[in-house]
Amino acid sequence: MGDIIVALATPPLKSALAVVRSSGEGVFRLAGQLFSKKVETVQERTSFVGYWSNEKGERIDQVVVICYPATHSLTGEDAVEIFCHGSPLIATRIINSYLAMGARYATNGEFTSRAFLHGKLDLVEAEAVNDLIEAASDEAQKLAMMSLEGKSSALLKPIRGRLAALLASVEVGFDFPEYEEETALSLEKAKNEAASLKSEIDSLIAEGQEGRVVKDGLKVALVGRPNVGKSTILNVILGEDKAIVSPIPGTTRDVVEGEARYNGLIFRFLDTAGLRENPEAIEKIGIEKSLISVDKADAVVLVLDEDRPLDAEEKAIEKRSKGKIFLVVVNKEDLRSGKHESRAKRIYLSAARQEKAPLLDALAKEAGVSAGAFARPSLNSSRQLSLLEKASRSLGEALENASEDRLDIFSSAVLGAYTAVRKLLGEEATLDLSDEIFSRFCVGK
Ligand code: GDP
């Protein structure tokens, strides 16, 4: 068990109740010295009503205390939660009483990280705790809940098992040639298995990328020359929904000008106000600033107010958007009486006529989020996706080296994939292959 940590679990505002959470070795003994009820020897999850005092014995508040022995706690160690009246002053005094008794402030996420260290949650489930708190739509909340219930990790566990078996089959061929016929897969079978695993991991990546869009929304940069109608388009899209999202200290979230929800997706429009503030940019696109928002965005919408070819600066923006969704909107359709020639990937609309569906439909279509993505567990954090990509690359490397004379490369590439999958689940980085792998094969029978 770790040292005793303490933190306020609710926002530091006046409210009906506040919750102070604490965990660590000896926390019942510590609480017993500050609380009016005997809690030192609690064996089962138990709640008490009593008085909390500071280290000098001065009463702070009447509180409800829940004691969770290690076997029944989130953190996997003895834990105490104190429900006090919702005054930041009272909560602070309770925390100070802990500090005076030798506890320390918890660091960010430390309760959840202890839960992970004590095997109460795997890493994917631990990440889901944060996703659940951050969820900005019903759909994102559902995805996080599925991960917290272990449904996302469950996608990976059979793959981990099959990678272990594949590794074992190759290792058995090396180390115990006499068992080869009995237990080892033929090279052909090993190759097929590696290919099948790679395609399963690639599907998880595709589903994870869709899940990421559902969860985090799509960051959109609206760029274009001044006066083409960017602000008007933004206002039409945000409409009543306009929600200014301010940056949360300590997070790296981009400053967002507004969010719109459309068919279950969240569109986050990046703050490009700088384009309008710079007087020197009147006749220019404000290329530098545009490029910065382009780099942060998942989707770039270049706005024109006439149906013309892109100029050099606009082409530079298109180039910089490589690998992202890139759409050209031709605004002010109401001013054009004649018919236009429809070009690929151009969306024609009139913000003045309040038209937003053509753009939002196109963004949703380009984001490629299928209906299933809203209801399916997925491995969708950037950490998870980068490890899945690593596993897929390693299996690609294994497939390129699937020949008798390069079995060692094949095997180390499969090991690379296996390690990435284990890291994703937060399992130990040091692997004891014998346990997990050879136990399946009864080599010593
Ligand atoms: P920005 O500089 O790109 O943000 O452009 P604004 O949104 O400020 O719009 C510039 C001018 O174009 C304003 O006078 C708007 O009223 C006008 N405008 C925007 N959209 C349309 C449209 O669809 N049709 C017409 N006729 N005018 C528009």
Side-chain angles (χ1 to χ4, degrees):
M1 280 201 221
D3 53 347
I4 299 176
I5 52 172
V6 62
L8 184 62
T10 43
L13 304 169
K14 278 191 190 164
S15 52
L17 291 173
V19 181
V20 174
R21 193 183 232 186
S22 59
S23 174
E25 185 164 11
V27 73
F28 292 166
R29 204 172 338 113
L30 183 152
Q33 290 172 270
L34 301 167
F35 188 45
S36 58
K37 297 279 171 71
K38 280 194 83 61
V39 295
E40 288 86 338
T41 54
V42 166
Q43 300 290 330
E44 283 177 19
R45 185 172 56 211
T46 321
S47 63
F48 304 86
V49 182
Y51 294 96
W52 198 271
S53 305
N54 69 9
E55 68 286 0
K56 296 178 203 142
E58 296 160 354
R59 274 191 183 174
I60 299 173
D61 193 13
Q62 186 179 35
V63 297
V64 173
V65 165
I66 302 181
C67 293
Y68 304 82
T71 44
H72 291 87
S73 75
L74 164 85
T75 53
E77 35 186 47
D78 291 348
V80 174
E81 282 172 1
I82 302 155
F83 295 72
C84 61
H85 290 107
S87 132
L89 189 88
I90 290 173
T92 305
R93 290 191 66 196
I94 292 175
I95 290 173
N96 286 342
S97 71
Y98 266 90
L99 302 179
M101 301 296 285
R104 68 167 171 82
Y105 274 117
T107 56
N108 286 0
E110 198 170 1
F111 291 91
T112 312
S113 90
R114 287 191 175 190
F116 162 62
L117 287 173
H118 293 117
K120 293 278 175 168
L121 297 171
D122 69 29
L123 207 47
V124 174
E125 291 159 4
E127 284 172 291
V129 173
N130 207 33
D131 286 351
L132 199 55
I133 295 170
E134 295 276 336
S137 66
D138 290 351
E139 289 76 11
Q141 180 271 336
K142 277 184 207 144
L143 287 199
M145 199 54 222
M146 284 190 270
S147 290
L148 187 60
E149 289 169 335
K151 290 182 181 158
S152 304
S153 323
L155 299 170
L156 206 55
K157 288 183 177 161
I159 291 180
R160 178 193 60 190
R162 283 170 60 193
L163 281 167
L166 177 59
L167 257 184
S169 73
V170 185
E171 300 280 323
V172 165
F174 281 158
D175 300 339
F176 303 95
E178 66 275 20
Y179 285 104
E180 195 169 355
E181 290 205 347
E182 204 179 319
T183 52
L185 295 172
S186 69
L187 182 60
E188 194 52 33
K189 278 189 185 155
K191 197 175 161 183
N192 289 342
E193 177 67 350
S196 144
L197 283 163
K198 183 174 185 315
S199 93
E200 286 198 22
I201 290 174
D202 289 343
S203 312
L204 286 184
I205 294 173
E207 291 175 7
Q209 281 162 343
E210 290 188 36
R212 191 180 81 93
V213 175
V214 172
K215 188 180 81 168
D216 294 343
L218 205 65
K219 283 189 226 154
V220 186
L222 269 179
V223 294
R225 287 182 190 168
N227 282 320
V228 292
K230 299 181 296 296
S231 324
T232 312
I233 292 173
L234 191 62
N235 286 338
V236 170
I237 289 176
L238 298 180
E240 297 287 305
D241 275 349
K242 179 144 183 161
I244 299 292
V245 179
S246 56
I248 300 161
T251 68
T252 52
R253 217 163 173 181
D254 292 306
V255 179
V256 172
E257 197 163 5
E259 292 186 358
R261 288 189 186 80
Y262 185 77
N263 291 346
L265 282 181
I266 307 162
F267 295 102
R268 299 180 193 276
F269 289 86
L270 293 179
D271 186 1
T272 49
L275 287 185
R276 272 166 267 134
E277 281 164 7
N278 181 355
E280 289 178 3
I282 291 294
E283 292 308 321
K284 286 184 155 193
I285 217 170
I287 189 109
E288 288 298 318
K289 290 215 165 98
S290 299
L291 293 182
I292 294 170
S293 55
V294 165
D295 289 346
K296 288 185 190 161
D298 305 305
V300 178
V301 176
L302 176 68
V303 185
L304 306 178
D305 57 1
E306 51 181 336
D307 198 12
R308 57 162 171 80
L310 302 188
D311 69 17
E313 284 180 331
E314 290 160 343
K315 278 191 181 144
I317 287 184
E318 181 177 23
K319 202 165 160 223
R320 187 76 156 239
S321 309
K322 207 162 176 258
K324 302 175 189 260
I325 298 169
F326 180 79
L327 294 171
V328 176
V329 165
V330 184
N331 187 30
K332 308 195 186 180
E333 269 291 271
D334 53 295
L335 298 181
R336 284 178 290 275
S337 45
K339 283 188 184 159
H340 56 68
E341 206 184 310
S342 250
R343 302 184 210 219
K345 291 222 169 153
R346 284 201 172 185
I347 296 145
Y348 298 86
L349 54 79
S350 161
R353 288 194 307 233
Q354 307 284 310
E355 292 166 8
K356 61 176 179 178
L359 173 57
L360 294 180
D361 283 335
L363 279 172
K365 184 160 166 261
E366 293 288 318
V369 176
S370 52
F374 295 101
R376 167 176 70 204
S378 59
L379 295 158
N380 52 38
S381 76
S382 50
R383 186 193 73 88
Q384 293 161 5
L385 281 167
S386 77
L387 283 165
L388 285 176
E389 274 154 14
K390 186 153 188 287
S392 168
R393 274 198 308 278
S394 295
L395 285 172
E397 198 188 318
L399 287 170
E400 283 166 20
N401 292 285
S403 62
E404 288 295 348
D405 55 336
R406 290 202 226 145
L407 271 187
D408 53 337
I409 304 179
F410 178 84
S411 155
S412 80
V414 175
L415 177 62
Y418 179 64
T419 311
V421 166
R422 289 198 51 155
K423 273 195 185 154
L424 203 161
L425 292 167
E427 295 168 350
E428 278 175 86
T430 47
L431 304 177
D432 186 0
L433 284 179
S434 56
D435 272 355
E436 184 158 353
I437 299 178
F438 290 111
S439 61
R440 297 158 188 270
F441 277 78
C442 313
V443 167
K445 75 177 176 191

